[in-house]
Amino acid sequence: MIRPELVCPAGTPAGLRTAVEAGADTVYCGFQNATNARNFPGLNFTPQEMERAVGHAHDRGTKVLLALNTFPPAGKFDLWRDAAALGAEMGVDAFIVADIGVADHIAREHPGARLHLSVQAAASSPEAIRYYCREFGVKRVVLPRILTVPEIEALAAEIPCEIETFIFGNHGLMVEGRCSLTNYVTGLSTNMDGVCSPAADVHYDRDTEGTMTTRLRDVTIDRFGCAETAGYPTICKGRYHAPHREDGYYAFEEPVSLNLAKLLPSLMGAGVHAFKIEGRQRSRAYVRKVVGAFRRAVDDVMAGETPALDDLVALTEGRKQTEGAFKTKKWR
Amino acid sequence: MTDVPTHDSGGAHAATGWAPPLPLFLLQPVLARVVRRVASRYPELLERLGPVRGARFLIDPRGLPFTLLLKPDPDALLLRACPRGRPPAHDALIAGRFLDLLELVDAAEDGDALFFSRELTITGDTEAVVTLRNALDNVEGSVAATVAGMFGPPGRAALAALRRAARRGTPEAQP
């Protein structure tokens, strides 16, 4: 059985140090601009912070992956080119890319660099993955969260690269890297500006009875009664009225988080090389608890023991968790 | 500015609808010292706030008989206690249990989790609140301990008692 790499999020330098301390094998992070898909205010790394963070991680035997997982608009490629040059100079261990132009640039200009294919590339078929491996030398694919464990096992036999799967965090099943819902409402693009539901356009209103209304610009996403748990203010997790439906319903996805703690042994048996924890936008408290829990769980499985799984439900969106498509395609 | 009502949910005399006037003027110089100390001890905090340093945050620690107005502008730092029921002009409101807010300041609690469970309320300028949350989360060391340390052993003892109460989650957790 392969000992899987635990790939953990870091939204800030302090978050990176927390992830390293909690047992991350690898940490992924991004610069403070549109080159990564968590371009949120107050988040991410300046070049100086990134350089120090890479040094800190490497001194402790932890790898650093640089997320360059957005799609450069025409005429704005310099930002991605400069970020790649900085990452190469700092000695990051791999670039996480989604766009074929970015992949091609790094493959040509930084030939020694290791490339991981982001989930944002939405590559889930052997043909698509083999294309990226052949053309750009991609060494690992981060799979979209749409495949069952047996499908992942079958895929592993047909591709010449490593597989990384999400095991905890946001459960977004839109065709990743193609979702334009935020763009439709705000004019900003999740895939090119790196921001889904930009905070500047999010509004929360609370009435005297404690009901909270969530809006993205002028679109009401959800309304939570005072006793209801809440979710993220993203359109895909919204509850809407529709013809032939008496009440509001979750038209796309429900506010729920992925938690594959119980599937770790079968994923490891299926040949998954790396487990990814989502959440660069989350706090150090989240990183400490989630990374620590999965560190212990992975080590237990490798030791042939039944993993002691911490209860992480308090950290999940809407306080609900699912094994999603990994367990069954009928998960909804 | 956002016209946001404060949530007058935890005053000691909420049940009777009457509260004696609080001598908040006694608190103001202490709070001014506190915010100056935190700003000088953690310069990276203000730096990461970037363009939202001029935002006015109204912090509503439910269970305390007053709210706090924070403006983290390095050129005009402000932390002031305000009477409940008379909210000053502000850009964003952050409301939650006092001890939860204390844990958030020290990155010991996850803000999203508190939001999901509805224990944390945000209204007004969401971008300013998200930026503040991320900037605070990048602070290593304990802001609360720094503040408590300003008041010597009694301050540290009070903080330790609050944290014990927070861990127990008992009614004692309400100051």
Side-chain angles (χ1 to χ4, degrees):
Chain A
M1 188 183 288
I2 304 164
R3 182 184 187 276
E5 196 175 304
L6 196 55
V7 183
C8 305
T12 61
L16 178 138
R17 290 187 283 273
T18 299
V20 170
E21 196 178 311
D25 296 308
T26 301
V27 179
Y28 64 103
C29 42
F31 288 121
Q32 290 178 335
N33 57 37
T35 57
N36 76 94
R38 289 286 183 273
N39 182 21
F40 295 171
L43 206 66
N44 293 320
F45 293 64
T46 65
Q48 294 75 22
E49 288 171 342
M50 186 69 79
E51 188 169 21
R52 285 195 294 269
V54 170
H56 177 89
H58 284 176
D59 286 347
R60 287 154 184 81
T62 306
K63 293 178 191 164
V64 177
L65 311 183
L66 181 61
L68 295 182
N69 56 345
T70 42
F71 297 81
K76 295 185 179 174
F77 195 79
D78 284 359
L79 196 60
W80 281 258
R81 189 181 58 201
D82 294 348
L86 279 170
E89 194 180 311
M90 291 169 189
V92 299
D93 296 277
F95 296 94
I96 308 171
V97 299
D99 177 70
I100 55 173
V102 176
D104 183 65
H105 170 78
I106 294 175
R108 288 174 193 274
E109 299 299 321
H110 308 286
R114 182 179 163 95
L115 286 179
H116 291 184
L117 190 64
S118 169
V119 69
Q120 290 290 96
S124 58
S125 70
E127 293 79 8
I129 295 165
R130 283 198 296 260
Y131 166 80
Y132 285 100
C133 296
R134 185 179 67 243
E135 297 298 324
F136 313 114
V138 161
K139 296 287 190 286
R140 178 184 295 176
V141 59
V142 185
L143 290 180
R145 289 155 271 203
I146 57 171
L147 302 174
T148 61
V149 176
E151 284 174 333
I152 292 170
E153 187 168 12
L155 183 67
E158 293 192 62
I159 58 174
C161 70
E162 298 172 359
I163 286 178
E164 182 172 309
T165 58
F166 282 93
I167 54 168
F168 191 86
N170 183 41
H171 190 233
L173 297 187
M174 310 304 291
V175 180
E176 307 206 42
R178 309 290 183 274
C179 176
S180 294
L181 291 174
T182 282
N183 199 335
Y184 176 71
V185 174
T186 70
L188 285 172
S189 165
T190 303
N191 309 312
M192 292 185 283
D193 298 299
V195 55
C196 176
S197 282
D201 291 317
V202 171
H203 302 282
Y204 300 111
D205 301 308
R206 191 169 176 271
D207 68 17
T208 51
E209 292 175 354
T211 299
M212 178 175 70
T213 301
T214 305
R215 284 184 296 116
L216 186 65
R217 289 220 175 159
D218 55 355
V219 173
T220 298
I221 290 177
D222 210 337
R223 188 168 285 143
F224 302 99
C226 62
E228 274 189 292
T229 55
Y232 279 124
T234 54
I235 300 171
C236 63
K237 301 288 180 82
R239 191 161 38 173
Y240 304 101
H241 290 287
H244 315 300
R245 293 254 182 185
E246 268 186 36
D247 301 315
Y249 83 116
Y250 292 104
F252 303 99
E253 306 293 341
E254 292 184 27
V256 60
S257 292
L258 185 72
N259 185 352
L260 300 188
K262 290 178 183 162
L263 294 183
L264 294 184
S266 54
L267 284 166
M268 289 157 76
V272 172
H273 296 78
F275 289 148
K276 183 167 219 153
I277 295 168
E278 185 274 345
R280 283 193 287 136
Q281 76 285 7
R282 298 294 290 265
S283 66
R284 280 191 288 142
Y286 168 96
V287 168
R288 191 181 304 117
K289 288 173 193 166
V290 178
V291 174
F294 279 102
R295 173 76 281 152
R296 288 187 293 276
V298 168
D299 290 348
D300 284 349
V301 175
M302 289 307 296
E305 296 168 13
T306 303
L309 302 168
D310 290 9
D311 182 10
L312 298 172
V313 74
L315 294 165
T316 56
E317 185 176 4
R319 291 209 157 196
K320 283 179 280 191
Q321 52 193 3
T322 179
E323 289 166 330
F326 290 86
K327 185 160 190 184
T328 168
K329 286 289 175 71
K330 297 178 180 173
W331 70 276
R332 283 198 73 180
Chain B
M1 196 217 34
T2 307
D3 288 326
V4 184
T6 55
H7 306 286
D8 195 355
S9 54
H13 296 265
T16 64
W18 177 86
L22 284 164
L24 294 182
F25 68 92
L26 292 173
L27 269 181
Q28 311 302 12
V30 178
L31 293 172
R33 268 186 63 211
V34 164
V35 73
R36 282 200 302 270
R37 172 78 179 117
V38 171
S40 67
R41 174 71 181 76
Y42 304 105
E44 73 276 15
L45 171 59
L46 299 189
E47 198 173 315
R48 192 165 272 267
L49 285 173
V52 309
R53 282 180 286 201
R56 295 158 301 177
F57 299 91
L58 186 62
I59 300 161
D60 180 356
R62 293 177 189 144
L64 289 192
F66 54 83
T67 59
L68 293 164
L69 184 67
L70 168 69
K71 186 177 176 186
D73 180 349
D75 298 324
L77 280 172
L78 174 72
L79 182 63
R80 182 162 60 85
C82 305
R84 284 189 172 277
R86 278 189 287 149
H90 56 280
D91 302 294
L93 170 75
I94 304 167
R97 275 194 334 144
F98 170 70
L99 289 171
D100 284 340
L101 297 178
L102 193 69
E103 297 283 82
L104 273 180
V105 163
D106 275 353
E109 187 62 78
D110 182 67
D112 288 13
L114 288 174
F115 175 80
F116 296 148
S117 64
R118 307 291 303 281
E119 291 163 85
L120 186 71
T121 300
I122 296 161
T123 52
D125 185 342
T126 308
E127 184 172 51
V129 175
V130 169
T131 310
L132 178 64
R133 189 275 309 266
N134 289 333
L136 275 169
D137 206 69
N138 189 43
V139 171
E140 286 176 293
S142 167
V143 175
T146 297
V147 173
M150 293 172 63
F151 304 97
R156 285 189 281 271
L159 179 62
L162 285 170
R163 282 183 171 152
R164 280 196 302 276
R167 277 195 293 273
R168 284 198 299 270
T170 61
E172 191 188 333
Q174 297 293 337

